[in-house]
Amino acid sequence: MAESGRARPADPDAVDSWTETPVTGKKRAQHSPGLRTKYQNSAPGHCFRKVTLTKPTFCHSCSDFVWGLIGFLCEVCNFMCHEKCLKTLRSVCSCMTPSLVRVPVAHCFGPAGHKKRFCCVCRKQTEGNTALRCEVCELHVHADCAVFSCADCRSSHLDATLQQDTFHHHWREGNMPSASRCEVCRRSCGSSDVMAGMRCEWCGITSHAACYLSVPPECALGRLRSMLLHPACVRLDSRNFSKMHCYRITESCNQELDNSDEVDASAAVSKDGQSAAPESGKQFLKVFDGDDAIKRGCFRLVSILRTTRNEEVVEAALRAFYLPDEPQDFELHEAGGMQHLHSNDILNRNGSADNRSSLKDGGDTWLLRAKPRDAEVIQVHAGWHRSGAAFVSVSVSKSSTAASVLTEVLNQLDRKGEDLSNFSLMEVYMSSKQVQRQSLTPQENILEKLQEIRKMSVRQMNQTRFYVVENINRAVQVSLLIGGLPPLLVKEEYVQLIEEHLTIKSHLVTISHIYGSQGAVALQISCFSEAERIYMLAKDTTVNNKTLTSLVIPEILHNKLGHGVCPLLVFVNPKSGGLKGRELLYGFRKLLNPHQVFDITNGGPLAGLHTFREVPRFRVLVCGGDGTVGWVLGVLEAVRHKLVCREPPIGIVPLGTGNDLARVLRWGTGYSGEDTHHILVSVDEADEVLMDRWTILLDARDISEDGKDNGFLEPPKIVQMNNYFGLGIDAELSLDFHQAREDEPDKFTSRFHNKGVYVKVGLQKISYTRSLHKELQLQVDAQNVQLPNIEGLIFLNIPSWGSGADLWGSEADGRHGKPRIDDGLLEVVGVTGVVHMGQVQSGMRSGIRIAQGNYIRLTVSKPIPVQVDGEPWIQPPGHIIISAAGPKVRMLRKSKHKQKKSSAGVKEGRSESPSSRDGGH
């Protein structure tokens, strides 16, 4: 019976091997078909045989339980189904996936998460550290299966080379929650037991594999269309950049797949020998698919019977490499020699005289070769918008050249008579990791080209197609954002720095934008090779002992944004909230256009704001702690004069420890794994509110005992405040916590642990006394205020402090008004010590109300701990002035009423959107 695990593939006792990848544990081998009966089906590529089931099994077509002892299993991709489903089968075999690609787009592979998923190649459950997933779409594969997947990722931007005519659904099979409903028949179509069902990765509608072809092909982007950046509105010239660079995904995520080329083949062979010993009557063959595989030591193990005809061995080898070709067109050569098996040979490994080569002589290593052909038919796709068939078929012979093929193709495409020099024949290799394009010269022999590709790798031939494209001399514009430069320089100084360290060619590179406060410049480059050189050089360049950052920036065609569209700009801090930040980053990239989701640790908030600089209306979602929100607000304040939308409203997903601002705006006490789709719906339905921001001027001076200034101790400093500003015991606890986190950052990965450390440092300060009222002089709105006997002084902008405590209190007070986040006033509160703070945290007491005002002046006579929104330091003596920081900022507050309405809609089980496409990410 078929299993959901990965231990056995099509044959119940088979084990494959692809030694190119760092796979540990068991390997799998592809078995010879022998003389078993094959069963016909309506989906191309499958090779079904009847199997006896020995454990509970589910159908991959209808996701129902397979009753009885008989099932039908594809020997290529492990597809299992009922006999009745063979007649209506629509899911193509993994070997046919390249033929379904509309626009080739490479995947961005990274390490997979911990949730149960199924491989999109072999359909087995992924497990362990060798599983990979695409960071942009729902493709999950084993590390040794990734090489057999093709470039069928989502197309997220316009590419100058190949275009699609209309925006269609992008269907992906399997890995859907069991609650998914079919858009056509409204029956359940998802499964957590097998890889079943289809889902559009843009709008999120789900369907059975037998029903999805009934869905209209045009995609309307679903529930999130009003906040999604349509791919037709994004342009990016990305010829020399990988998708990891285009989507600003840290390259460490791709390291595991990159390192697969360096695996020692002999080590993998020894593992095969230990874990997959051949049964009696069977023999293992090591099969290479071309010269490139031999060079890198990458082979597949094929298990055959000791008495097997060559054609059946070739068929098993083709299945091992997921190739749909006919076995009579291929033959096996002994690796390292010219000897090959003839079609009437019987492979006899019993030591008789019929042995062509023994195991001791290395005869178990073979090379899969395509037989020479005098003529064949190729499919050529049109590289422009075209209705009707996706390709035209052209016969090629030994005399066929690229020019003759172009002539025939143009005739079939009703473009006869046009100048042949305006077109080119392009070879496109659709590898899952990178799409490689090469224009063929008019004189190039096509048949020789095909033979050359097959000699290099027959698997590569299956992932290669030809396009006819128009030769358009379109101006190249690549935009790079270079960060890490010294701040606050003039344009001439930035130009000199760029020319000195990056040796730019002035006729190809211009500086389009300068962000002096952020130490960054935007470059416009009119040459692909120059853009690639600058991009790589900047990452290895340091200026003033600081490494530069380099990001590829797409162009948003804001004039193409639809009516009512307000795209969402998402910033995620993956270092916040343990691993939850990274999962949020992954979840938002799948639900939205990855060009609107930014890892804030890679280039900061400026990268996203610069990308959206010309968008007339957009919103921002910040996933992180209060410090991350303050970072975004600070950069927005510094660059808002360069944005068309100067005051975008900002929502929050709380990933920090305190999350006080998120609590006030109803986004919750902390992220605990809510579905990312529900989060986006809540953002779309949120209410806009205004919030005050404050500027704090820290003017450190030597203050004498009589209160006179004796000169500066350090240059004045200006910081922005959003939540609160504290002096004394409150800031000292924050400082101790900050130092503990700096010493051992790896331990501070959970909210619970962080709060535990706060309690520990608080207990250490329980007997702390300082008499803060003797060291401070306070003025509120130009009025001197007498301070009581306190150990800490706190200025509140929001009614939440220290992880949700109400420090001001809710009691009515005739002397002071009720605090609001937009009233233009700060609340001044005192605490008498750690015990008082603990009582406030438990709700037993509130702080000591001192004053309310909009202009604060403090005189500090001794060095004192201070903290602004959780960021602490020791402040020297001097003056501190707090005043309003320009216009109020627009924030998004979660709507209670709409939140309940949204929850009710989810309970109804509607699948109009991808609300559960990742099981809760």
Side-chain angles (χ1 to χ4, degrees), residues 416-688:
K416 183 178 180 180
E418 295 194 33
D419 189 355
L420 205 63
S421 63
N422 294 332
F423 299 89
S424 295
L425 189 65
M426 178 180 291
E427 172 197 345
V428 179
Y429 174 37
M430 303 183 298
S431 166
S432 61
K433 222 177 117 180
Q434 187 175 7
V435 177
Q436 301 176 13
R437 301 180 175 94
Q438 177 186 358
S439 294
L440 305 183
T441 61
Q443 299 79 22
E444 190 154 3
N445 188 285
I446 299 301
L447 204 59
E448 291 179 0
K449 183 66 178 179
L450 297 176
Q451 293 172 353
E452 176 187 336
I453 297 174
R454 291 192 179 102
K455 183 179 179 182
M456 182 65 63
S457 169
V458 293
R459 173 184 52 83
Q460 179 177 333
M461 187 67 243
N462 188 44
Q463 296 179 347
T464 298
R465 65 168 54 163
F466 293 94
Y467 281 87
V468 54
V469 296
E470 295 182 89
N471 297 329
I472 301 176
N473 294 325
R474 184 173 160 279
V476 175
Q477 285 294 333
V478 180
S479 180
L480 297 182
L481 184 65
I482 308 296
L485 297 167
L488 305 177
L489 302 181
V490 298
K491 181 177 180 179
E492 291 73 18
E493 293 175 307
Y494 282 120
V495 171
Q496 182 179 354
L497 280 175
I498 293 295
E499 291 179 346
E500 176 184 350
H501 292 277
L502 302 181
T503 59
I504 64 173
K505 300 175 182 178
S506 57
H507 65 287
L508 298 176
V509 183
T510 58
I511 297 180
S512 60
H513 294 80
I514 295 178
Y515 298 96
S517 62
Q518 308 301 309
V521 297
L523 305 180
Q524 285 288 344
I525 307 170
S526 58
C527 174
F528 280 120
S529 57
E530 177 70 1
E532 184 180 28
R533 185 191 67 81
I534 294 176
Y535 177 86
M536 301 306 296
L537 180 60
K539 289 180 173 292
D540 296 328
T541 301
T542 58
V543 177
N544 294 348
N545 297 322
K546 187 176 181 180
T547 303
L548 299 183
T549 60
S550 179
L551 296 175
V552 181
I553 301 297
E555 177 188 1
I556 298 180
L557 307 177
H558 58 91
N559 294 327
K560 290 188 176 182
L561 291 173
H563 177 71
V565 174
C566 181
L568 183 68
L569 173 60
V570 182
F571 293 110
V572 182
N573 189 345
K575 296 182 179 179
S576 298
L579 296 177
K580 294 178 181 177
R582 183 181 180 275
E583 290 303 311
L584 273 176
L585 190 64
Y586 168 65
F588 286 131
R589 282 197 186 116
K590 290 191 311 171
L591 288 170
L592 302 171
N593 190 319
H595 287 299
Q596 63 189 112
V597 182
F598 289 78
D599 178 350
I600 203 170
T601 61
N602 186 17
L606 180 62
L609 295 174
H610 174 69
T611 302
F612 276 61
R613 65 192 180 278
E614 295 182 351
V615 177
R617 192 166 68 98
F618 67 93
R619 287 171 291 187
V620 178
L621 180 64
V622 182
C623 307
D626 289 340
T628 304
V629 177
W631 186 11
V632 174
L633 287 172
V635 176
L636 177 61
E637 178 67 26
V639 304
R640 71 167 67 246
H641 61 284
K642 296 192 176 183
L643 304 179
V644 174
C645 177
R646 299 193 173 187
E647 297 180 357
I650 298 173
I652 304 171
V653 176
L655 296 180
T657 302
N659 303 314
D660 288 293
L661 184 55
R663 294 170 190 262
V664 171
L665 297 174
R666 300 176 186 159
W667 294 108
T669 60
Y671 176 73
S672 56
E674 291 87 353
D675 181 30
T676 45
H677 182 269
H678 295 162
I679 293 174
L680 293 176
V681 170
S682 297
V683 172
D684 190 38
E685 299 175 340
D687 303 318
E688 288 189 19

Side-chain angles (χ1 to χ4, degrees), residues 117-270:
R117 292 292 183 268
F118 295 94
C119 176
C120 293
V121 176
C122 70
R123 310 183 73 90
K124 295 294 183 179
Q125 183 177 342
T126 58
E127 56 187 71
N129 296 327
T130 60
L132 301 173
R133 71 181 179 191
C134 178
E135 295 288 328
V136 175
C137 70
E138 191 66 59
L139 183 86
H140 295 260
V141 291
H142 298 111
D144 59 339
C145 290
V147 70
F148 299 107
S149 60
C150 65
D152 61 346
C153 192
R154 293 191 299 164
S155 178
S156 301
H157 59 260
L158 295 176
D159 190 291
T161 309
L162 304 174
Q163 297 296 339
Q164 55 185 353
D165 46 1
T166 57
F167 192 72
H168 287 190
H169 292 293
H170 188 93
W171 295 105
R172 178 76 62 194
E173 184 180 10
N175 293 315
M176 301 187 307
S178 55
S180 300
R181 294 276 176 182
C182 178
E183 186 74 12
V184 178
C185 66
R186 304 309 304 168
R187 295 176 56 216
S188 175
C189 62
S191 175
S192 59
D193 299 298
V194 293
M195 185 173 171
M198 307 291 289
R199 183 192 61 256
C200 173
E201 297 197 289
W202 284 110
C203 66
I205 63 172
T206 55
S207 174
H208 291 105
C211 298
Y212 84 100
L213 293 178
S214 302
V215 179
E218 290 77 17
C219 179
L221 298 180
R223 170 65 180 82
L224 304 178
R225 57 185 173 274
S226 63
M227 62 172 57
L228 195 145
L229 198 58
H230 197 288
C233 300
V234 184
R235 184 167 61 198
L236 180 62
D237 293 330
S238 57
R239 190 184 70 180
N240 289 27
F241 296 99
S242 71
K243 285 296 178 287
M244 305 292 283
H245 296 155
C246 295
Y247 298 141
R248 304 160 307 278
I249 298 175
T250 52
E251 297 178 17
S252 59
C253 294
N254 210 28
Q255 185 176 2
E256 183 171 0
L257 191 60
D258 290 338
N259 291 343
S260 64
D261 295 341
E262 303 172 3
V263 176
D264 183 10
S266 62
V269 172
S270 65

Side-chain angles (χ1 to χ4, degrees), residues 690-694 796-799 808 816-827 852-854 884 888:
L690 296 177
M691 186 184 76
D692 300 321
R693 291 191 79 223
W694 302 86
L796 299 173
N797 184 45
I798 62 174
W808 180 262
H816 306 105
K818 184 179 179 180
R820 298 199 321 271
I821 63 174
D822 62 344
D823 58 3
L825 298 175
L826 284 176
E827 286 70 47
Q852 278 183 315
N854 60 12
K888 303 177 190 295

Side-chain angles (χ1 to χ4, degrees), residues 50 107 122 189 198 232 282 314 330 332 340 359 381 411 453 471 475 486 558 712 729 862 920:
K50 185 183 293 186
H107 293 283
C122 70
C189 62
M198 307 291 289
K282 292 192 176 182
V314 172
F330 293 84
L332 286 172
H340 64 274
L359 291 174
H381 296 249
N411 289 341
I453 297 174
N471 297 329
H558 58 91
F712 290 103
I729 183 62
K862 295 181 180 179

